[in-house]
Amino acid sequence: MNQDVRVRYAPSPTGHLHIGGARTALFDYLMARKHGGQFVVRFEDTDQTRHKESGIQDQLDGLRWLGLEWDESVDVGGPYAPYRQTERLHLYAPYTDQLLASGHAYHCYCSEEDLEKERAEQEARGEMGGYSGRCRHLTPEQVEAFRAEGRKPSVRFKVPSGRIIAFEDRVREHVEFESDGIGDFIIERPDGMPTYNYAVVLDDVLMKINLVIRGEEHLSNTPRQILLYEALGLPIPEFAHLALILNEDRKKMSKRDETVLQFMNQYAELGYIPEAVLNFIALLGWSPVGEQEIFSKEELIEQFDLGRVSKSPAIFDTHKLNHLSNAYMKKADLDRVIGLCVPHLVKAGLVPAERTAEEQAWVEKLVALYQEQLTYGAEIVPLSSMFFRDDVEMENEETAAILKEESVPVVLGAFLSKVETAQDFAPETIGAMLKEVQKETGFKGKQLFMPTRVALTGQMHGRDLNHTIHLLGKEKVAARLRLILS
Ligand code: GLU
């Protein structure tokens, strides 16, 4: 492109940022940054039934959390303000007048009941043609009569017949629609509110948007929009329609589908690393050239290519999400991981909100112990719950069976006497104590470590044993050993 690419994310502010919207916004962002253009965020808030006032903030929070800074929007303004549709209504009137004057649009006085009746009749005849266009040719007397009844007209766009509307989509390539399948559609409702197809065209034109990236569910709207651009004599932007994101069962996700994490606030609340989620979203439909899987935002900007976005649906792969999240967690600074984990321990009532230096040091070591294993912060709670119990809960029968082995009382007894007399309880000291137990009892390897781990944690596998014992602390360790020995 030799002009700046101007892209926009145009959500209806009906709730939190959804993964589908986040992907659109990310691809917008990457195109804008890659080509030195601008990323606009504007709100289509004219549907009062679905509108939620917090929706705008929720959407912006989601984008901000992902690290997608925008160039123009409701908060930062910009040369084409305002950026919410309800504040732009006055801008549309001249275009409506133009369409009416040029004969591309007309007033339609059909009531809801009229239209319902027409639909039913069409259906009975097995037709699916949309609006019949019967208000196209009203006589002045008919118009007068409708007005006298107090009817307010909507404005309909006159769809030309027999046209093929074709465009080259940046993702879907050549796309065609027949105009005969599209009935005359409403562009302005009787209350003066523009419909989506109309307002989106005018906003895109007025904001000089030249590349429209959006979900495939809008593909069938595009021919309507193209007809509007043509009728108004305005430049048509390029389009890129992104295929659906399906859940793991390859089914369309409903917003209530709980098998996948769909909203950015959920990720934020669970303590995911945003860069990991961004990386995951980038791969929903885009395939990089090589085998690389982990991409920083800068690398995405450099390598992203709309030409490598798939036409087929993307599958939400939770395994991949976890894999990427864990990879980012492992590489993250410990302080950051602590910041993602500790609020969850506090919320679960496991550690105090106000901590002494000693408590803080302990909780930091606890997070460090699990860092390698984590995919998101909240996971620290189930992973480390055994530290906070008074008793030991056996993971399963197999685990419980281990404590029935003959060697167990010998090993644990020897270890208990060392613990009771230990001068300090550092991980290295604990390692040394276990070595002495080995020497004294003759049990080594699995026979030594497995019963010790199981007795103290109830689990057969876990993090480094010396550090685990150290963090449990002398009192708890002694108590747990006594419990098993009794
Ligand atoms: N408000 C529409 C949506 O949220 C925007 C569609 C478009 O980008 O044109 O789906």
Side-chain angles (χ1 to χ4, degrees), residues 8-14 21 24 28 42-45 50 85 196-197 200-201 204 212-215 217-218 221 225 239 241:
R8 84 310 190 267
Y9 170 54
S12 311
T14 53
T24 299
D28 278 328
R42 92 174 170 237
F43 292 93
E44 304 201 329
D45 60 342
R50 292 169 64 228
Q85 221 158 50
Y196 157 70
N197 275 312
V200 78
V201 163
D204 283 338
V212 169
I213 302 176
R214 63 184 169 208
E217 65 275 17
H218 288 291
N221 285 320
Q225 295 171 18
F239 295 98
H241 287 92

Side-chain angles (χ1 to χ4, degrees), residues 380-395:
I380 192 73
V381 173
L383 284 175
S384 69
S385 66
M386 63 92 183
F387 279 95
F388 303 97
R389 306 171 58 100
D390 287 328
D391 56 349
V392 179
E393 189 188 34
M394 289 299 134
E395 208 169 31

Side-chain angles (χ1 to χ4, degrees), residues 23 171-172 215-216 241-245 309-314:
R23 181 185 57 170
V171 173
R172 306 198 54 92
E216 194 179 80
H241 287 92
L242 309 177
L244 292 175
I245 303 170
V309 172
S310 171
K311 279 186 222 172
S312 3

Side-chain angles (χ1 to χ4, degrees), residues 449-462:
F449 297 118
M450 194 54 102
T452 308
R453 181 183 288 281
V454 169
L456 296 176
T457 69
Q459 300 160 359
M460 286 164 64
H461 306 282

